[in-house]
Structure formats: structure tokens, C-alpha cells
Amino acid sequence: MTSGTSNQHVTDRPAIYLFPYLRLREQVTVGPWSLQPLDPKKLAAPHDAFGRTLGATLARFRDEAGEPLRTATLVQRTEPEASPGEVRGQERSALQAAVLFGVADANAGLGNEIDWDAPALNPATAEIATFLVGELEALENGTFVRTRGGTLNRRIVGGGTVHDDFVIVPAPEGLVSIPDLELDHRLLDAVYRVSLEALSDDSLKIHRQVWAALHWHSRAWENSPPHTMTDILVQLKTAIEALSGNSGTAQGIKVLEEIYSSVKGSIGADEFLWRDSSLSFPRKFKGRTDMYSAFGHWYWYLADTRNTIVHDTELPVMEHVAEGSPFHGNLFRVAERVTRELIKIRLAQLGHPEAAMSSMSRRHLSGAQRLGQEIEVIAPIQP
């Protein structure tokens, strides 16, 4: 939250930013933003005016069980806020994109794999990254009041605003749980900075491709009841296609495999699905059989399945059968992982190598650097 004092002169009103359904185990820094878990005791303190304001605001909202929210994640700037207008909106969009991707990636364990069959799996969906923006007015005595106007306050529910006592705001339709998460601050920071580049007036195509992939990947993690598996597959295919910059599958395979193969020889390369292999797999189409790499064979299957969904409205066959291929298995699970991995590799190529590493690989890299050893990381590219 920015204080809105005269020496900052960069904001017309002090603003408050909340991820009401996000529960963090520890504070995370993203660019000029700090995401902090709110202490419920602070919200209940009788002499803490700011805490009372937050507590009263959260009390209007309901969690997945229909109970009032008692804590949330507060977002504060570590630098003066940008002036009102386009730049401020771009920063907010980039921040939410970073949190959305970080929340989805928090579902994965070692490497990039999500243990879908774990009995205690409690996936964090996109609804957890709901971002609310409100405005507060600082009074002369230093207390705060909830004011009308602003994004949050303009949300009309039953003829009133969220600051009217009778208004109750239900949880997002797809919110089924609010797990405690530990978000990867290096990954979030990389997504934030690349997203800002993508949203700038002089953005490069590669940044816009990553931004589009982030958008469609986050859409695939939405959990509302009308959101079906066929929707998800189309969205994941669109995300991967955005990274390729090609609507044609054959051309896309070449670009995407080049992105994937850039991990070869780098630290943590064995955590990615792609493997440098001489194995090839047959694809039969219109009476012709062509041989493809493991990735190319899988991507053709994803493209064919997407076309079946869009043009034939048939239920897709969810198993990609290719024994010996790292891409063998459930199409959704593999497509989700491939999308995340390709986005991470692009982030690394755009100057954020640690965004593509696990915490274990980062520790190995740090140890090697202290010993003066050279460790190969994913090399940057010239956009």
C-alpha cells in the first residue's frame, strides 16, 4: 500500500492491493512489490486503524466454506507507485500474471512434475490468485476509512458496494480450497519483468509471445464448473502455439524443439521432459507415415486432438501412446507441464536463468560459483 503522502506525489489516492484467497507461508518480493501474509491478530487489534479497515473489508468476503475471510495476502510497494494511468495498470497486470503463474507452478514438486495421483493433492487453481484493488483515504488523525470509488468499491453486489454492511461477496465459483503456498520469488520476478516488457509500447515479439502463453496457461487453471477438459486442452495448445509464433504444426515443432533443446548441457536439464534422443515415432495421416522426434510426435497428437475438439466436437482420447517417449501419457497432464517448462525456458533465455531452475539446482549453482567453478545455464538469446 502506498501512503499517498505529498513527498511521493505519484498517486492521486493511496491504494490497497489484496490477494484475498492467497495464503503465503512467507513474504515474497516481486519487482517493486512485497507480498505479505496478513496476521489475523493485527486485523483484530482494537487500536490498529489500518488493521481494522482490512479486517472489516475482508469480513464482507467469503471463503470456499462460506465463512468470512480472516486473513489474506497484502501487497505493498517497496518503491513509490507509478502515476495513475496506463503504466500503473500495466504494473498491476504484470503482478497478477506473475502470481497466477507462481500459484500454478507451486503445485509441482521436484523438477517440474505435479504428482497428480498423490492422495493428499490439494491443487491451487487460478481462483486463488484473484486480485482486488481498492482505495483508502488517509485522514488527518492518521486513521483510514473505506471510501467509495475505485476498482474494488465499484463492484456492485445486490445494489450495494462491498462497503455496505448488508453486502456479502461469495468466493469465486471455482474456489474449492485455499492451501498454504510457498511461491518462488525468482520465478515471479522473472514473469513480472518480462510481462512489463510485453505490455510496453515498444515491446518485442518474443515478450508478447510469452505474455500470451502466460495468459492462456492461467486460463487453463481456472476451475469454474463450465470449464471443461476440452476447454483446457484448447487453451494449453493455444499457449504453446503462442510460444512457437506459428499456427502451422510442422513449423511450430521446429521452433518449439529449438526452445526445448536449449536446456541441453545446462544445470537442471534432467528436470525437463525433453530429452536429446535418436528415438523417432511414426505418425500416420491420410495414408502416409512420417517419423518424428518424441516431442514432434506428441505435438502433432496435441494438434490433432485440438482440431478434433474444435471441428468435430468429439470427446478427445486423453492418452498419448508412445512407449519410450517422455511425452507418453495423459494429454492434459503432459500439456500442462510442457507449457510451464517452455515458458520457464523462455524466461531464462530472456535474461532470467534461475527462473527455469529448481531450488536444488540453484543451490548447486550457488555452491559451484562460490568455489569458482563454471556451471552452464540456459543461454540468453538476442530477441
Coordinates of all heavy atoms in Angstrom, one line a residue, residues 184-221:
D184 N 7.7 -19.1 -5.5 CA 9.1 -18.9 -5.9 C 9.4 -17.5 -6.4 O 8.9 -17.0 -7.4 CB 9.4 -19.9 -7.1 CG 10.8 -19.9 -7.6 OD1 11.5 -18.9 -7.3 OD2 11.2 -20.8 -8.4
H185 N 10.1 -16.7 -5.5 CA 10.2 -15.3 -5.8 C 11.0 -15.0 -7.0 O 10.8 -14.0 -7.7 CB 10.8 -14.5 -4.6 CG 12.2 -14.8 -4.3 ND1 13.2 -14.0 -4.9 CD2 12.9 -15.8 -3.6 CE1 14.4 -14.4 -4.5 NE2 14.2 -15.5 -3.7
R186 N 12.0 -15.8 -7.4 CA 12.8 -15.6 -8.6 C 11.9 -15.8 -9.8 O 12.0 -15.1 -10.8 CB 14.0 -16.5 -8.6 CG 15.1 -16.2 -7.6 CD 16.3 -17.1 -7.7 NE 17.3 -16.8 -6.8 CZ 17.4 -17.3 -5.6 NH1 16.5 -18.1 -5.1 NH2 18.4 -16.9 -4.8
L187 N 11.1 -16.9 -9.8 CA 10.2 -17.1 -10.9 C 9.2 -16.0 -11.1 O 8.9 -15.5 -12.2 CB 9.4 -18.4 -10.7 CG 8.4 -18.8 -11.8 CD1 9.1 -19.0 -13.1 CD2 7.7 -20.1 -11.4
L188 N 8.6 -15.5 -10.0 CA 7.6 -14.5 -10.0 C 8.2 -13.2 -10.5 O 7.6 -12.5 -11.3 CB 7.0 -14.2 -8.6 CG 5.7 -14.9 -8.3 CD1 5.9 -16.5 -8.3 CD2 5.1 -14.5 -7.0
D189 N 9.4 -12.9 -10.1 CA 10.1 -11.7 -10.5 C 10.4 -11.7 -12.0 O 10.2 -10.7 -12.7 CB 11.4 -11.5 -9.7 CG 12.0 -10.1 -9.9 OD1 11.4 -9.1 -9.4 OD2 13.0 -9.9 -10.6
A190 N 10.8 -12.9 -12.5 CA 11.1 -13.0 -14.0 C 9.8 -12.8 -14.8 O 9.8 -12.1 -15.8 CB 11.7 -14.4 -14.3
V191 N 8.7 -13.4 -14.3 CA 7.4 -13.3 -15.0 C 7.0 -11.8 -15.0 O 6.5 -11.2 -16.0 CB 6.3 -14.1 -14.4 CG1 5.0 -13.8 -15.1 CG2 6.7 -15.6 -14.6
Y192 N 7.1 -11.2 -13.9 CA 6.7 -9.8 -13.7 C 7.5 -8.9 -14.7 O 6.9 -8.1 -15.4 CB 7.0 -9.3 -12.3 CG 6.7 -7.8 -12.1 CD1 5.3 -7.4 -11.9 CD2 7.7 -6.9 -12.0 CE1 5.1 -6.1 -11.7 CE2 7.4 -5.5 -11.8 CZ 6.1 -5.1 -11.7 OH 5.8 -3.8 -11.5
R193 N 8.8 -9.0 -14.8 CA 9.6 -8.1 -15.6 C 9.4 -8.4 -17.1 O 9.4 -7.5 -17.9 CB 11.1 -8.3 -15.2 CG 11.3 -7.8 -13.8 CD 12.8 -7.8 -13.4 NE 12.9 -7.5 -11.9 CZ 12.9 -6.3 -11.4 NH1 12.7 -5.3 -12.2 NH2 13.0 -6.1 -10.1
V194 N 9.3 -9.7 -17.5 CA 9.0 -10.0 -18.9 C 7.6 -9.5 -19.3 O 7.4 -9.0 -20.4 CB 9.2 -11.5 -19.1 CG1 8.7 -11.9 -20.5 CG2 10.7 -11.9 -19.0
S195 N 6.7 -9.6 -18.4 CA 5.3 -9.2 -18.7 C 5.3 -7.6 -18.9 O 4.6 -7.1 -19.8 CB 4.4 -9.6 -17.5 OG 4.3 -11.0 -17.5
L196 N 6.0 -6.9 -18.0 CA 6.1 -5.5 -18.2 C 6.7 -5.1 -19.5 O 6.2 -4.2 -20.2 CB 6.9 -4.8 -17.1 CG 6.3 -4.5 -15.8 CD1 7.2 -3.8 -14.9 CD2 5.0 -3.6 -16.0
E197 N 7.7 -5.8 -20.0 CA 8.3 -5.6 -21.3 C 7.2 -5.8 -22.4 O 7.1 -5.1 -23.3 CB 9.5 -6.5 -21.5 CG 10.7 -6.1 -20.7 CD 11.4 -4.9 -21.2 OE1 11.2 -4.5 -22.4 OE2 12.1 -4.2 -20.5
A198 N 6.5 -6.9 -22.2 CA 5.4 -7.3 -23.2 C 4.3 -6.2 -23.3 O 3.8 -6.0 -24.4 CB 4.8 -8.6 -22.9
L199 N 4.0 -5.5 -22.2 CA 3.0 -4.6 -22.2 C 3.4 -3.2 -22.5 O 2.6 -2.2 -22.7 CB 2.3 -4.5 -20.8 CG 1.6 -5.8 -20.4 CD1 1.2 -5.8 -18.9 CD2 0.3 -6.0 -21.2
S200 N 4.7 -3.0 -22.7 CA 5.2 -1.6 -23.0 C 5.0 -1.3 -24.5 O 4.7 -2.2 -25.3 CB 6.7 -1.5 -22.7 OG 7.4 -2.4 -23.6
D201 N 5.0 0.0 -24.8 CA 4.7 0.4 -26.2 C 5.7 -0.1 -27.2 O 5.4 -0.3 -28.4 CB 4.7 1.9 -26.2 CG 3.5 2.5 -25.5 OD1 2.5 1.8 -25.3 OD2 3.6 3.7 -25.0
D202 N 7.0 -0.3 -26.8 CA 8.0 -0.8 -27.7 C 8.4 -2.2 -27.5 O 9.5 -2.6 -27.6 CB 9.2 0.1 -27.6 CG 9.8 0.2 -26.2 OD1 9.1 -0.3 -25.2 OD2 10.9 0.7 -26.0
S203 N 7.4 -3.0 -27.1 CA 7.7 -4.4 -26.7 C 8.1 -5.2 -28.0 O 7.7 -4.9 -29.1 CB 6.4 -5.1 -26.1 OG 5.3 -5.1 -27.0
L204 N 8.9 -6.3 -27.7 CA 9.3 -7.1 -28.8 C 8.4 -8.3 -28.9 O 7.7 -8.7 -28.0 CB 10.8 -7.6 -28.6 CG 11.8 -6.5 -28.5 CD1 13.2 -7.1 -28.1 CD2 11.9 -5.7 -29.8
K205 N 8.4 -9.0 -30.1 CA 7.5 -10.1 -30.4 C 7.7 -11.2 -29.4 O 6.7 -11.8 -28.9 CB 7.7 -10.6 -31.8 CG 6.8 -11.7 -32.2 CD 7.0 -12.2 -33.6 CE 6.1 -13.4 -34.0 NZ 6.4 -13.8 -35.4
I206 N 8.9 -11.5 -29.0 CA 9.2 -12.6 -28.1 C 8.6 -12.4 -26.7 O 8.0 -13.3 -26.1 CB 10.7 -12.9 -28.0 CG1 10.9 -14.2 -27.3 CG2 11.4 -11.8 -27.4 CD1 12.3 -14.7 -27.3
H207 N 8.6 -11.1 -26.3 CA 7.9 -10.8 -25.0 C 6.4 -11.0 -25.1 O 5.8 -11.5 -24.2 CB 8.3 -9.4 -24.5 CG 9.7 -9.2 -24.2 ND1 10.7 -8.7 -25.1 CD2 10.4 -9.5 -23.1 CE1 11.9 -8.7 -24.5 NE2 11.8 -9.2 -23.3
R208 N 5.9 -10.5 -26.2 CA 4.4 -10.7 -26.4 C 4.0 -12.1 -26.5 O 2.9 -12.5 -26.0 CB 4.0 -9.9 -27.6 CG 4.2 -8.4 -27.5 CD 3.4 -7.6 -28.5 NE 3.8 -8.0 -29.9 CZ 4.8 -7.4 -30.6 NH1 5.6 -6.4 -30.0 NH2 5.1 -7.8 -31.8
Q209 N 4.8 -13.0 -27.1 CA 4.5 -14.4 -27.2 C 4.5 -15.0 -25.8 O 3.6 -15.8 -25.5 CB 5.6 -15.1 -28.0 CG 5.5 -14.8 -29.5 CD 6.7 -15.3 -30.3 OE1 7.7 -15.7 -29.7 NE2 6.5 -15.4 -31.6
V210 N 5.5 -14.7 -24.9 CA 5.5 -15.2 -23.6 C 4.2 -14.7 -22.8 O 3.6 -15.5 -22.1 CB 6.8 -14.8 -22.8 CG1 6.7 -15.2 -21.4 CG2 8.0 -15.4 -23.5
W211 N 3.9 -13.4 -23.0 CA 2.7 -12.9 -22.3 C 1.4 -13.6 -22.7 O 0.6 -13.9 -21.9 CB 2.6 -11.4 -22.7 CG 1.3 -10.7 -22.2 CD1 0.3 -10.3 -23.0 CD2 1.0 -10.4 -20.8 NE1 -0.7 -9.8 -22.2 CE2 -0.3 -9.8 -20.9 CE3 1.6 -10.5 -19.6 CZ2 -0.9 -9.3 -19.7 CZ3 1.0 -10.1 -18.5 CH2 -0.3 -9.5 -18.5
A212 N 1.3 -13.9 -24.0 CA 0.1 -14.6 -24.5 C 0.1 -16.1 -23.9 O -0.9 -16.6 -23.5 CB 0.1 -14.7 -26.0
A213 N 1.3 -16.7 -23.8 CA 1.4 -18.0 -23.3 C 1.0 -18.0 -21.8 O 0.3 -18.9 -21.3 CB 2.8 -18.6 -23.5
L214 N 1.4 -17.0 -21.1 CA 1.1 -16.9 -19.7 C -0.4 -16.7 -19.5 O -1.0 -17.3 -18.6 CB 1.8 -15.7 -19.0 CG 3.3 -15.8 -18.8 CD1 3.9 -14.4 -18.6 CD2 3.6 -16.7 -17.6
H215 N -1.0 -15.9 -20.4 CA -2.5 -15.7 -20.3 C -3.2 -17.0 -20.5 O -4.1 -17.4 -19.6 CB -2.9 -14.7 -21.3 CG -4.4 -14.7 -21.6 ND1 -5.3 -14.0 -20.7 CD2 -5.2 -15.2 -22.5 CE1 -6.5 -14.2 -21.1 NE2 -6.5 -14.9 -22.2
W216 N -2.9 -17.8 -21.5 CA -3.7 -19.0 -21.8 C -3.4 -20.1 -20.8 O -4.2 -20.9 -20.5 CB -3.4 -19.5 -23.2 CG -4.0 -18.5 -24.2 CD1 -3.4 -17.7 -25.1 CD2 -5.4 -18.4 -24.4 NE1 -4.3 -17.0 -25.8 CE2 -5.6 -17.4 -25.5 CE3 -6.6 -18.9 -23.9 CZ2 -6.8 -16.9 -25.9 CZ3 -7.8 -18.5 -24.4 CH2 -7.9 -17.5 -25.4
H217 N -2.1 -20.1 -20.3 CA -1.8 -21.1 -19.2 C -2.6 -20.8 -18.0 O -3.2 -21.8 -17.4 CB -0.3 -21.1 -18.9 CG 0.1 -22.1 -17.9 ND1 0.2 -21.7 -16.5 CD2 0.3 -23.4 -17.9 CE1 0.6 -22.7 -15.8 NE2 0.6 -23.8 -16.6
S218 N -2.8 -19.6 -17.6 CA -3.6 -19.2 -16.4 C -5.0 -19.5 -16.6 O -5.7 -20.0 -15.7 CB -3.4 -17.8 -16.0 OG -4.0 -16.9 -17.0
R219 N -5.5 -19.3 -17.9 CA -6.9 -19.7 -18.2 C -7.2 -21.2 -18.0 O -8.2 -21.6 -17.6 CB -7.3 -19.2 -19.6 CG -7.4 -17.7 -19.8 CD -8.5 -17.1 -19.0 NE -9.8 -17.8 -19.2 CZ -10.7 -17.5 -20.2 NH1 -10.4 -16.6 -21.1 NH2 -11.8 -18.2 -20.3
A220 N -6.2 -22.0 -18.4 CA -6.3 -23.4 -18.2 C -6.4 -23.9 -16.8 O -6.9 -25.0 -16.5 CB -5.1 -24.1 -18.9
W221 N -6.0 -23.0 -15.9 CA -6.0 -23.4 -14.4 C -7.3 -22.9 -13.8 O -7.4 -23.0 -12.5 CB -4.8 -22.9 -13.7 CG -3.7 -23.8 -13.8 CD1 -2.6 -23.8 -14.6 CD2 -3.5 -25.0 -13.0 NE1 -1.7 -24.9 -14.3 CE2 -2.3 -25.6 -13.3 CE3 -4.3 -25.6 -12.0 CZ2 -1.9 -26.8 -12.8 CZ3 -3.9 -26.8 -11.4 CH2 -2.7 -27.4 -11.8

